[in-house]
């Protein structure tokens, strides 16, 4: 048997894995048409037809509504902007608590801070890595106003259970579906399951337009508030006749015509980009699932996983080799594999030092003095265990990966697992 690369043997794979390319002639042609029109954006921050943006922006929103079967789509310049707008539209104000997953991109929690809301971190499920409804329930207090649920890695969160909790306590649910366009849950699209859903169109996501996002909702009043926050609401409310001024100080979150037309083309490709992801994941699961200590990602019943990321769990007790040692050996074989995902958000300096807006600790200093949210290590033990000991992931589940790449990836795992005794 060839020795492990980490022990000086030759790596199993010497060439890089293919990168994911979704942009083709269709997008090029569409962009040229926008350039020929000379109108690169057609928004105005006044109560006028242009308040809703240009023809391509409105076209994209119409297509998004039809595709995802929602009443309203509001395009924005990023999912981060989308999450901020969603928290604003939900009416979150200074001192309100917002329950959020700690195992996600940082903007999911920063969105609360921007409106003076205080993020409260609930733990995740070790099966799906999404919020654990029981942990969410334990985090609800009289100050809770909203829940930000994340369909992490492309697997929809336990939305039925979360919506039940929300109904009981009159909370707004914002679904961060940045990683899950096209994923499904009990017959409905991920992103359309909460009161507001947010999709990302940044370069790294399943479909993209460079930078961009789309917010969806079935609620007329939330849609109106999202549009005002996107586009200088404070200058528009009077002429528009909006009476509820809460959080109607707007931003410029507007998408350009160029991004919108690219996004329209990308949406047409979504299904054909998703099917190969699911097939690649199935291949990996068939082979890697046979190795000791490895648990491939689960897809819950009546659910379609989007496989933005293929995340495995690893039990070092079964092999005697730590995850980080294992990952180092796999990397040495030339495999794109990573230990953990992002550090639990509450361990970031802003939370540890409770400094967000200004120098006096706002909004953390508004917390309930008797029961302030904790950001101490240990508050979300499952998240910490996944991050520090068990989770490893790869992003090779995509449409440009060939069978040979999957074969090499699995062969690299099999090579390392056959010689684990050398690593112990
Ligand atoms: C990428 C991502 C975002 C932010 O998306 P942008 O469009 O880059 O702002 C938010 N949440 C999650 C879970 C993401 O993966």
């Amino acid at each position: 048997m060839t020795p492990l690369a980490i022990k000086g043997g030759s790596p199993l794979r010497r060439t890089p894995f293919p990168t994911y390319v979704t942009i083709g002639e269709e997008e090029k042609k569409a962009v040229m048409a926008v350039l020929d029109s000379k109108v690169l954006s057609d928004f105005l921050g006044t109560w006028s037809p242009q308040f809703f943006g240009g023809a391509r922006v409105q076209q994209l929103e119409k297509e998004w509504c039809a595709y995802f079967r929602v009443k309203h789509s509001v395009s924005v310049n990023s999912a981060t902007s989308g999450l901020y707008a969603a928290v604003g539209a939900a009416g979150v104000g200074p001192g309100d608590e917002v329950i959020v997953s700690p195992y996600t991109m940082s903007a999911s929690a920063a969105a609360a801070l921007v409106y003076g809301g205080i993020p409260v971190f609930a733990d995740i499920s070790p099966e799906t890595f999404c919020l654990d409804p029981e942990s969410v329930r334990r985090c609800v207090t009289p100050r809770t106003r909203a829940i930000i649920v994340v369909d992490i890695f492309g697997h929809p969160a336990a939305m039925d259970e979360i919506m039940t909790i929300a109904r009981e306590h009159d909370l707004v649910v914002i679904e961060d579906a940045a990683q899950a366009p096209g994923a499904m849950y009990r017959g409905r699209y991920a992103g359309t399951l909460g009161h507001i859903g947010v999709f990302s169109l940044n370069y790294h996501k399943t479909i993209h337009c460079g930078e961009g996002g789309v917010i969806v909702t079935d609620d007329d009043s939330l849609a109106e508030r999202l549009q005002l926050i996107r586009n200088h609401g404070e200058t528009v409310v009077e002429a528009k006749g909006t009476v509820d001024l809460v959080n109607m100080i707007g931003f410029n979150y507007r998408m350009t015509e160029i991004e919108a037309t690219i996004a329209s083309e990308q949406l047409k490709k979504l299904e054909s980009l998703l099917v190969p992801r699911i097939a690649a994941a199935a291949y990996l699961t068939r082979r890697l699932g046979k190795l000791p200590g490895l648990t491939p990602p689960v897809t819950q019943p009546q659910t379609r996983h989007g496989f933005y990321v293929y995340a495995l769990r690893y039990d070092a007790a079964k092999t005697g080799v730590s995850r980080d040692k294992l990952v180092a050996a796999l990397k040495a074989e030339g495999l794109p594999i990573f230990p953990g995902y992002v550090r639990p958000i509450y361990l970031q300096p802003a939370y540890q030092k409770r400094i967000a807006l200004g120098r006096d600790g706002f909004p953390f200093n508004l917390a309930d003095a008797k029961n302030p949210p904790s950001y101490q290590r240990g508050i979300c033990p499952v998240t910490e265990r996944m991050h520090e000991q068990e989770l490893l992931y790869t992003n090779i589940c995509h449409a440009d990966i060939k069978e040979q790449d999957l074969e090499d990836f699995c062969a690299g795992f099999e090579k390392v697992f056959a010689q684990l005794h050398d690593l112990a």
Side-chain angles (χ1 to χ4, degrees):
M1 190 176 297
T2 13
L4 295 178
I6 203 167
K7 297 283 181 185
S10 50
L12 186 128
R13 169 93 179 200
R14 293 175 174 284
T15 53
F17 282 71
T19 51
Y20 180 51
V21 180
T22 66
I23 300 297
E25 285 306 314
E26 304 79 9
E27 286 77 9
K28 227 160 128 180
K29 227 175 106 199
V31 168
M32 292 315 289
V34 175
L35 290 174
D36 284 339
S37 79
K38 315 284 195 285
V39 182
L40 305 194
S41 178
D42 208 7
F43 268 105
L44 280 178
T46 59
W47 182 230
S48 63
Q50 281 116 308
F51 173 70
F52 298 102
R56 276 138 182 124
V57 158
Q58 292 190 41
Q59 179 64 24
L60 169 67
E61 292 172 348
K62 217 188 270 165
E63 291 162 359
W64 208 273
C65 284
Y67 193 100
F68 291 99
R69 306 194 288 265
V70 287
K71 193 161 177 205
H72 302 281
S73 294
V74 180
S75 61
V76 280
N77 56 9
S78 73
T80 300
S81 303
L83 288 164
Y84 289 13
V87 170
V92 170
D96 288 342
E97 293 176 3
V98 177
I99 298 172
V100 61
S101 169
Y103 215 39
T104 172
M105 193 256 172
S106 65
S108 314
L113 291 172
V114 167
Y115 282 91
I118 304 176
V120 174
F121 295 96
D123 210 350
I124 61 171
S125 139
E127 295 269 299
T128 63
F129 314 115
C130 299
L131 277 178
D132 168 8
E134 281 317 304
S135 180
V136 169
R137 190 179 282 286
R138 286 193 294 274
C139 289
V140 175
T141 77
R143 295 184 173 220
T144 309
R145 179 120 201 158
I147 307 174
I148 301 177
V149 193
V150 186
D151 301 323
I152 200 73
F153 306 150
H155 191 290
M159 289 303 287
D160 280 353
E161 291 84 346
I162 303 270
M163 294 308 286
T164 300
I165 298 169
R167 264 191 304 275
E168 285 168 18
H169 298 277
D170 196 20
L171 309 175
V172 179
V173 175
I174 298 166
E175 186 184 4
D176 178 347
Q179 302 187 356
M184 313 232 15
Y185 177 81
R186 300 182 183 170
R188 290 159 69 196
Y189 278 109
T192 70
L193 306 160
H195 300 107
I196 309 178
V198 180
F199 295 91
S200 174
L201 291 164
N202 94 23
Y203 172 60
H204 303 285
K205 299 290 154 75
T206 304
I207 56 172
H208 80 94
C209 62
E211 302 283 358
V214 181
I215 319 168
V216 296
T217 183
D218 284 329
D219 182 299
D220 297 344
S221 137
L222 286 174
E224 181 193 5
R225 295 161 63 72
L226 291 165
Q227 287 158 342
L228 284 161
I229 292 169
R230 166 175 71 178
N231 189 10
H232 306 291
E234 76 280 8
T235 69
V236 179
V237 280
E238 196 167 33
K240 192 173 191 304
T242 302
V243 283
D244 180 1
L245 298 185
V246 171
N247 293 345
M248 288 300 101
I249 301 299
F251 295 82
N252 176 350
Y253 289 159
R254 308 177 314 203
M255 183 183 263
T256 73
E257 292 289 280
I258 293 181
E259 290 150 351
T261 202
I262 297 173
S264 282
E265 293 303 326
Q266 291 277 287
L267 182 59
K268 291 183 203 156
K269 300 181 179 179
L270 174 57
E271 187 61 22
S272 65
L273 292 168
L274 213 50
V275 169
R277 281 181 183 269
I278 297 165
Y283 181 108
L284 294 179
T285 291
R286 272 197 304 278
R287 280 186 58 180
L288 302 182
K290 296 188 183 123
L291 299 174
L294 275 187
T295 306
V298 295
T299 301
Q300 304 242 292
Q302 290 182 273
T303 298
R304 183 198 210 192
H305 197 315
F307 287 108
Y308 174 66
V309 160
Y310 184 90
L312 298 122
R313 277 168 69 188
Y314 172 68
D315 181 359
K318 295 244 160 65
T319 61
V321 176
S322 76
R323 177 199 61 185
D324 292 358
K325 257 193 197 167
L326 174 73
V327 169
L330 293 166
K331 269 186 194 275
E333 299 298 337
L335 309 188
I337 183 91
F338 309 94
Y341 180 54
V342 290
R343 191 163 54 145
I345 292 178
Y346 53 84
L347 297 177
Q348 289 178 358
Y351 301 92
Q352 289 299 302
K353 299 190 186 311
R354 296 185 188 244
I355 297 291
L357 305 180
R359 26 181 92 69
D360 301 326
F362 181 89
F364 305 108
N365 56 4
L366 302 181
D368 183 353
K370 287 200 205 73
N371 185 24
S374 168
Y375 301 131
Q376 270 181 23
R377 177 169 277 284
I379 58 167
C380 297
V382 177
T383 305
E384 292 177 24
R385 194 174 85 236
M386 291 304 126
H387 185 63
E388 289 159 15
Q389 298 169 36
E390 294 192 18
L391 189 140
L392 56 163
Y393 80 92
T394 179
N395 47 18
I396 68 162
C397 275
H398 61 70
D400 293 311
I401 286 292
K402 303 281 180 287
E403 176 118 10
Q404 185 62 52
D405 302 313
L406 295 169
E407 154 67 30
D408 286 353
F409 190 83
C410 293
F413 264 78
E414 285 154 6
K415 176 182 171 186
V416 170
F417 273 76
Q419 301 179 67
L420 280 177
H421 50 89
D422 254 14
L423 297 172

